Amino acid sequence: MTWQRRLRVACGQGRRARAFLRDQSGVSAIEFGLVAPMIFFSLLAMTDLGFALRDRIVLDHFLRSGAQAALRDEGEAAVLDTLKRTVCRQAETYPDCAGLGSIDFSPAPDRFCVCPTTGAQDTTCTSTCGVQPRKFYTLSAATTYTGILLPVMSFSPSVMVEVQ
């Protein structure tokens, strides 16, 4: 091979190399391949967080329904029954109540009285303090959320209601 032919081949390869470097086809596919996993995991994490927040909001809803029953001062058993019926209605499996297994209402609703003058607490509400004692209920619920990406999260809100 002569030196002129070698020079022509080298120039042709240089032109092809420069054309290859200037070529833009396929760049967007590569960029998408780099960015797509981040977008996918971000959407998955947002969805997972949304489900966890939904579970917490639903748990608060159950406690609010129990608090409404506690305001009527129907007794601890009636308040617990209201909590369980609310879960059953939410799960739409009444009277099977399949959703009740994942929610724990312990300790059970607790009714107690407080003497306004002394601050003494009485669980039987039979103490004599000279004035009408204030009646309270303490309601609590607990559930665990097992996420897709999020770690296991335990929710255990409680609410204290004063009977009017």
Side-chain angles (χ1 to χ4, degrees), residues 19-31:
F20 177 75
L21 292 175
R22 285 190 308 259
D23 190 14
Q24 295 290 318
S25 63
V27 172
S28 59
I30 292 172
E31 289 173 351

Side-chain angles (χ1 to χ4, degrees), residues 45-68:
M46 284 188 291
T47 303
D48 203 15
L49 185 62
F51 283 132
L53 289 174
R54 182 210 55 192
D55 283 0
R56 172 58 198 252
I57 290 169
V58 166
L59 203 58
D60 288 339
H61 167 71
F62 297 151
L63 287 178
R64 281 193 306 273
S65 69
Q68 288 176 350

Side-chain angles (χ1 to χ4, degrees), residues 70 73 76 109-115 121 125 133-138 160-163:
D73 197 20
E76 296 164 341
D110 181 33
R111 181 179 185 258
F112 62 94
C113 293
V114 175
C115 182
Q121 186 172 336
C125 295
R134 291 182 162 175
K135 299 175 189 173
F136 292 93
Y137 278 87
T138 302
M160 183 182 290
V161 180
E162 182 178 1
V163 176

Side-chain angles (χ1 to χ4, degrees), residues 1 12 19 46 52 78 103 110-111 114 116 122 124 135 139 143 153 157 159 163:
M1 187 183 262
M46 284 188 291
I103 298 173
D110 181 33
R111 181 179 185 258
V114 175
D122 179 22
T124 61
K135 299 175 189 173
L139 310 172
T143 190
M153 296 173 18
V159 65
V163 176

Side-chain angles (χ1 to χ4, degrees), residues 74-92:
E74 298 173 345
E76 296 164 341
V79 172
L80 184 59
D81 185 54
T82 300
L83 288 168
K84 289 180 179 180
R85 279 188 287 121
T86 304
V87 172
C88 290
R89 280 194 304 265
Q90 185 74 22
E92 296 178 358

